[in-house]
Amino acid sequence: MIVVFLSLFQPGSFILNFQAKEMIFDKLDEDGDGLVSLDELKGLLDKIGACTGLDELQSLVGKTSLDFIDFLFFYEAMLKKNYGEEIKEDSDVDNKLEDDLVEAFKVFDLNGDGFISCEELQKLLSRLGLWDEKEGSDCRNMIHMYDTNLDGVLDFEEFKNMMLLSNSEGIPNL
């Protein structure tokens, strides 16, 4: 699920199914009021490196908070803005997807060794406020699920296969 957060508004981001969008909305709605405030939305944007001012965000959104329907419209607008109509050929889409996957992988590979370890995944989840101590073994389980060579870490090809498989079958990502 973490990749979903990271790629949400990035160029070429993965198209999310309804359930994933609902999970993101619920996670952003920190106070549980059924609305995502601009502060809550800005917090996510800041975490993924898409920093913007509250004034700019309000002029983009046109209101001070978003209900789920508004959030869906905002998400779709960001997809259109980032995907754009300029990408026509499949090879361009494939190249863009590969580039996006490389960038997403780099976010997880905190020490730059070419692998995503359980510790790196846990640190990233903690940084984003998504780590739950009760789910500690889940990091190992998440990695093990896609670790085809059983070395206990994910290399780029395993990460790529996970992302492509997860997005095509509606399976949640890391």
Side-chain angles (χ1 to χ4, degrees), residues 6 14 33 35 46 54 59 63 82 91-92 94 100-101 105 109 112 114 118-119 123 128 140 145 149 153 162 164:
L6 294 173
F14 299 98
D33 65 354
L35 298 170
D46 288 346
L54 276 175
S59 70
K63 44 179 77 176
N82 291 327
S91 64
D92 287 345
D94 290 343
D100 288 344
L101 286 171
F105 184 81
D109 183 16
C118 179
E119 293 77 21
K123 282 180 187 175
L128 292 170
R140 293 201 195 291
M145 188 180 311
N149 64 5
V153 293
M162 174 199 67
L164 296 176

Side-chain angles (χ1 to χ4, degrees), residues 25 28-37 40 65-68:
F25 180 84
L28 287 175
D29 181 17
E30 295 171 359
D31 58 8
D33 65 354
L35 298 170
V36 172
S37 71
E40 291 165 334
S65 61
L66 304 174
D67 62 18
F68 184 62

Side-chain angles (χ1 to χ4, degrees), residues 1-3 101-102 104-122 124-125 138-166 172-174:
M1 182 169 125
I2 188 69
V3 171
L101 286 171
V102 167
F105 184 81
K106 288 177 183 176
V107 169
F108 285 92
D109 183 16
L110 298 176
N111 64 7
D113 67 354
F115 301 98
I116 299 171
S117 69
C118 179
E119 293 77 21
E120 289 170 314
L121 179 57
Q122 180 182 343
L124 193 58
L125 291 171
D138 283 353
C139 281
R140 293 201 195 291
N141 292 338
M142 284 187 272
I143 286 177
H144 181 71
M145 188 180 311
Y146 299 99
D147 181 17
T148 56
N149 64 5
L150 302 176
D151 62 357
V153 293
L154 293 181
D155 60 32
F156 177 71
E157 286 303 313
E158 292 167 329
F159 177 79
K160 179 177 158 182
N161 291 337
M162 174 199 67
M163 292 304 299
L164 296 176
L165 176 67
S166 296
N173 304 77
L174 289 178

Side-chain angles (χ1 to χ4, degrees), residues 65-78:
S65 61
L66 304 174
D67 62 18
F68 184 62
I69 301 297
D70 292 330
F71 176 76
L72 292 177
F73 283 122
F74 178 76
Y75 171 78
E76 295 301 322
M78 291 295 98

